[in-house]
Amino acid sequence: MRLDPDSLLAGPRGRRFCLELVKQAEPITEAGLRFGHLLFAASYRAAKASGAGTSIVLFGPGADEPLPDPTPAELGAALDEVELPHLDDDTLMAALEATVDAAAYWQEPDGDDLLLVEPAVTASLRRIAEHVVSTPATAWWGDGLAARQHLVAFDTPWAESREPPSWSIIGTRAALQQWRDGVVADEIRSRPPRGRRSGHPARATSGEWWSTPNRVGPVSTHAGPDGVPLGLRLVEDGFGEDGARVVPLVVPPDARVIEVAGPDDWARLCREHPLEVSGVHRGDWYRTTGRDGDWVSPDWASVAEVVDAVHVSVAGYLLTAGRAIAVDDRTASVMAGWSPDQTYWLTDMPGSDAAPTAWAKDDDTLRWTPSPA
């Protein structure tokens, strides 16, 4: 599925990607500096006004000087003056990384995301979106599951002492059943006692905000144009990992895969395999989308009965992640916790004969490279 400008600007991650492109490519030109200054001020004010930025404090040289107070129309006009960015692989990937890193579905949108829904700002982003969808460098973003995949295991302090994942011991299908039982139990506990009404969703306790199988089973991506596995670079809710082990994987030719190329695919997945999560996710998903109502998530144990894996393309991520997606007249869902081009395997995968390769992230260049043997 190819991207189109309207779809790209319909979701929070797509809009944020277009903005991050401008921020990556135009920070030092006169027009870029002016837009950046106005964006900072407007973003700060928007976050403070919404209550989402109450912990933001200005400090350092110039902190006591009055900030500009641009209207959305003035911000959009400044954006119109910025040149279209040159879209090479490095620029696109850097903007993708920043977009994924900024995703936070357990809280209100930040100042930048609040500004991006202003009609005047969204309208000015359209020429950026048109530029993105027209370049050959993004043609592969709508591709389905690639045959060559990479399993990434980050080196973290807790990974060394943690017990092996349950799916590697009892099997993925059994682990998914345990996962579903846990979600159902949490959902029951989250419901108010009989006879009591639920309070405002903003006061609900934050908990599990993601709609993934919670790492129950292998997770893979393919490599980007530079040969670096995307699972190293594009990680929602990452912890700043700088080391990992990577194992190559060849997808079985008979693998049954559901492709998520956009919101309609996610909604269909939820309709066909619904799992009630209104109690578990009500507070977090209200904060991030502004919608209060009944919520569902895919029942991955049920999905595993009909397919082997679910793949979200890069385009599917930008069009879908973080939105309140209508499933039917009563319920909605949020695709949260997924990363671009990520595949969750819902069945046991055949082992790879290849030994893991160590990768490290350079502190200065922030690039991932294979570590010396």
Side-chain angles (χ1 to χ4, degrees):
M1 178 179 177
R2 281 288 295 171
L3 288 167
D4 67 82
D6 291 332
S7 297
L8 186 59
L9 295 177
R13 294 303 91 202
R15 292 190 295 268
R16 185 60 173 257
F17 171 74
C18 292
L19 178 66
E20 293 296 342
L21 267 181
V22 175
K23 292 164 67 175
Q24 293 284 339
E26 285 288 339
I28 59 175
T29 65
E30 183 176 348
L33 285 171
R34 178 171 182 270
F35 172 70
H37 183 52
L38 293 180
L39 175 66
F40 173 82
S43 178
Y44 172 79
R45 292 181 182 278
K48 295 287 279 189
S50 73
T54 53
S55 63
I56 299 176
V57 177
L58 296 179
F59 65 94
D64 55 348
E65 297 180 6
L67 277 177
D69 190 10
T71 65
E74 291 170 336
L75 187 63
L79 177 57
D80 289 338
E81 297 176 4
V82 174
E83 294 183 8
L84 288 173
H86 173 64
L87 300 182
D88 55 28
D89 290 332
D90 286 342
T91 301
L92 289 166
M93 192 57 62
L96 265 179
E97 287 189 73
T99 300
V100 174
D101 190 56
Y105 308 125
W106 57 90
Q107 63 185 29
E108 294 81 358
D110 66 15
D112 283 0
D113 284 334
L114 290 170
L115 292 173
L116 294 178
V117 299
E118 294 286 348
V121 180
T122 306
S124 294
L125 279 180
R126 184 174 177 82
R127 69 188 184 101
I128 309 297
E130 291 174 344
H131 189 41
V132 169
V133 303
S134 66
T135 178
T138 62
W140 64 273
W141 286 9
D143 290 352
L145 179 64
R148 301 187 67 84
Q149 294 284 296
H150 300 272
L151 305 176
V152 173
F154 286 108
D155 299 331
T156 60
W158 56 88
E160 297 179 0
S161 59
R162 188 176 58 188
E163 295 181 357
S166 61
W167 59 263
S168 68
I169 300 173
I170 65 175
T172 303
R173 296 287 177 85
L176 284 168
Q177 293 288 342
Q178 290 185 353
W179 165 84
R180 178 171 59 185
D181 292 344
V183 173
V184 171
D186 288 344
E187 179 66 16
I188 293 173
R189 284 193 293 268
S190 299
R191 295 172 185 168
R194 181 174 297 180
R196 293 190 183 180
R197 299 181 61 184
S198 298
H200 193 278
R203 295 193 293 271
T205 302
S206 179
E208 292 191 1
W209 50 267
W210 50 90
S211 51
T212 68
N214 198 20
R215 298 284 175 175
V216 179
V219 184
S220 68
T221 61
H222 86 292
D226 58 359
V228 178
L230 295 177
L232 291 172
R233 304 186 64 175
L234 306 177
V235 183
E236 277 202 358
D237 193 35
F239 292 92
E241 296 89 345
D242 56 9
R245 289 166 292 116
V246 177
V247 179
L249 172 72
V250 177
V251 176
D254 59 347
R256 301 166 299 167
V257 181
I258 288 179
E259 294 286 349
V260 177
D264 290 344
D265 296 326
W266 186 262
R268 186 181 308 111
L269 192 58
C270 291
R271 280 194 300 272
E272 295 177 353
H273 306 274
L275 182 63
E276 179 75 22
V277 291
S278 299
V280 176
H281 293 320
R282 182 182 181 227
D284 289 321
W285 287 2
Y286 168 79
R287 280 184 280 269
T288 194
T289 69
R291 177 189 182 274
D292 184 24
D294 294 324
W295 296 100
V296 294
S297 183
D299 181 345
W300 299 115
S302 174
V303 177
E305 295 176 1
V306 295
V307 298
D308 301 313
V310 176
H311 170 247
V312 174
S313 65
V314 176
Y317 173 85
L318 292 174
L319 303 183
T320 310
R323 301 174 65 175
I325 300 167
V327 175
D328 53 35
D329 293 339
R330 182 183 64 87
T331 62
S333 184
V334 178
M335 192 182 83
W338 289 78
S339 299
D341 189 57
Q342 195 170 53
T343 299
Y344 272 84
W345 293 93
L346 308 178
T347 186
D348 296 334
M349 293 295 296
S352 173
D353 294 333
T357 301
W359 286 69
K361 186 177 185 179
D362 186 89
D363 291 337
D364 296 324
T365 66
L366 302 181
R367 291 181 178 272
W368 285 91
T369 56
S371 301

